[in-house]
Amino acid sequence: MSTTAVPATAEPAKGKPKWLRVKLPTGKKYTQLRKLVDTYDLHTICTSGSCPNMGECWGEGTATFMILGNVCTRSCGFCGVKTGRPTSVDWAEPEKVARSIKIMGIRHAVVTSVDRDDLKDMGSILWAETVKAIRRMNPETTLETLIPDFQGVEQHLDRILQVAPEVISHNMETVRRLTREVRIQAKYDRSLGVLQYLRENGANRTKSGIMLGLGETEPEVLQTLEDLRGAGVDVVTIGQYLQPSKRHLPVKEFVTPEQFDRYREAGLAMGFRHVESGALVRSSYKAHKHIH
């Protein structure tokens, strides 16, 4: 990777390299879960997001669920989720998610959501109710909550801490310089503050993730990793950004497997407990291992 900044006018990268080719998911466990999802019309991010790791994760008994609807109040330049005015909160959703996890026999569930800045509690109450419902119906299932920043409001973060998921995750997504362009309504220091608050107030384990290929430099990536470690983050995921549509930010660079390996080594040297670093790595990749 270049160590010089990529100008905003840089040409988008052309053509996906061979290391981004994805094998079709296979295996008995995957086939069983796919049938259950289709039969019961269950909603997972794995299927709706066409995750490249779906077969591997499902084979290991891990799946990701999204709550609070599928319309986000924010308009991040990288994200394929629809932006606009969300529908009203479905208070039956916690039980629906918990039932889906029960039907699928999920051993480790990741729960995430859109941003709901339109709500007074920013969705934190339904978040807590979802964790409680999953615990009641699936007492053996471990949990990761991949939360929004809740605008840094401690009262909302406390609701997540009180239900004590095994892992609380909040993604930085990119380096400081690119945050305004990539995340728009988010703030780099606010996200760091959220992660540090969680660590200092009893989170079992904290986690964050970043995407590469948006024009960041190697020193900027290393600084972001240092910042995350300084905030007490235990686990970090590093993956390749892929453009969801022509309306979204272009890919400036396809980062090589060798560079991802160097970032993994650098992160482990900084003291992270787990570093998942690779072109196809996504936030919940190998998530079941991150509780250990």
Side-chain angles (χ1 to χ4, degrees):
M1 174 181 284
S2 170
T3 58
T4 57
V6 179
T9 56
E11 288 294 315
K14 302 292 185 183
K16 290 182 183 178
K18 60 183 180 180
W19 60 80
L20 279 171
R21 293 173 186 166
V22 180
K23 293 181 180 179
L24 291 174
T26 58
K28 183 178 178 181
K29 181 69 171 178
Y30 167 78
T31 303
Q32 291 173 338
L33 288 181
R34 181 81 238 196
K35 185 176 180 181
L36 286 172
V37 166
D38 294 341
T39 300
Y40 292 95
D41 193 26
L42 307 178
H43 176 68
T44 70
I45 292 297
C46 318
T47 51
S48 63
S50 301
C51 180
N53 307 307
M54 181 164 55
E56 182 179 353
C57 291
W58 283 15
E60 293 168 340
T62 300
T64 301
F65 301 83
M66 188 165 76
I67 60 174
L68 288 162
N70 60 359
V71 179
C72 189
T73 53
R74 299 190 187 181
S75 52
C76 296
F78 70 91
C79 184
V81 175
K82 187 188 305 180
T83 299
R85 180 176 295 178
T87 57
S88 58
V89 172
D90 177 5
W91 290 103
E93 192 168 45
E95 294 297 326
K96 292 177 183 176
V97 172
R99 187 166 59 250
S100 295
I101 290 169
K102 182 79 170 179
I103 291 169
M104 293 176 70
I106 296 300
R107 295 193 297 271
H108 182 73
V110 181
V111 181
T112 188
S113 80
V114 293
D115 282 278
R116 290 300 301 261
D117 298 316
D118 59 312
L119 302 173
K120 185 176 181 181
D121 74 319
M122 298 178 198
S124 60
I125 293 175
L126 188 125
W127 259 104
E129 291 303 314
T130 300
V131 173
K132 291 175 186 176
I134 294 170
R135 296 280 197 218
R136 284 194 303 270
M137 204 175 294
N138 308 273
E140 301 302 315
T141 298
T142 53
L143 283 170
E144 175 183 328
T145 53
L146 174 53
I147 63 171
D149 63 20
F150 296 127
Q151 295 185 14
V153 177
E154 294 176 1
Q155 179 185 11
H156 306 330
L157 296 171
D158 287 343
R159 291 191 176 105
I160 308 299
L161 288 165
Q162 286 161 9
V163 293
E166 279 74 14
V167 180
I168 307 179
S169 182
H170 172 64
N171 285 343
M172 293 296 293
E173 306 294 7
T174 190
V175 300
R176 181 185 293 276
R177 176 176 58 85
L178 297 176
T179 295
R180 183 174 294 182
E181 179 185 7
V182 174
R183 298 176 72 200
I184 304 175
Q185 294 99 326
K187 298 176 181 178
Y188 186 90
D189 288 314
R190 183 165 69 190
S191 285
L192 271 184
V194 164
L195 289 161
Q196 185 159 352
Y197 180 84
L198 294 169
R199 160 57 59 213
E200 292 176 350
N201 287 275
N204 296 313
R205 182 149 301 168
T206 55
K207 174 179 170 181
S208 191
I210 59 174
M211 306 170 293
L212 304 185
L214 285 158
E216 69 290 328
T217 68
E218 182 172 337
E220 287 176 321
V221 174
L222 294 175
Q223 183 60 58
T224 301
L225 293 176
E226 291 278 10
D227 290 344
L228 288 170
R229 193 70 197 103
V233 171
D234 302 295
V235 182
V236 67
T237 61
I238 310 170
Q240 172 71 51
Y241 167 67
L242 296 175
Q243 187 180 24
S245 78
K246 292 181 179 179
R247 301 190 313 273
H248 292 84
L249 293 169
V251 176
K252 299 287 181 66
E253 178 185 16
F254 290 114
V255 178
T256 65
E258 292 76 17
Q259 183 67 62
F260 277 113
D261 287 344
R262 287 195 289 273
Y263 285 138
R264 179 187 298 109
E265 292 167 6
L268 291 172
M270 290 177 194
F272 287 101
R273 186 178 290 265
H274 295 280
V275 180
E276 307 296 347
S277 181
L280 296 176
V281 166
R282 298 296 178 262
S283 298
S284 55
Y285 184 62
K286 296 190 181 297
H288 64 291
K289 294 185 177 181
H290 300 159
I291 62 175
H292 302 297

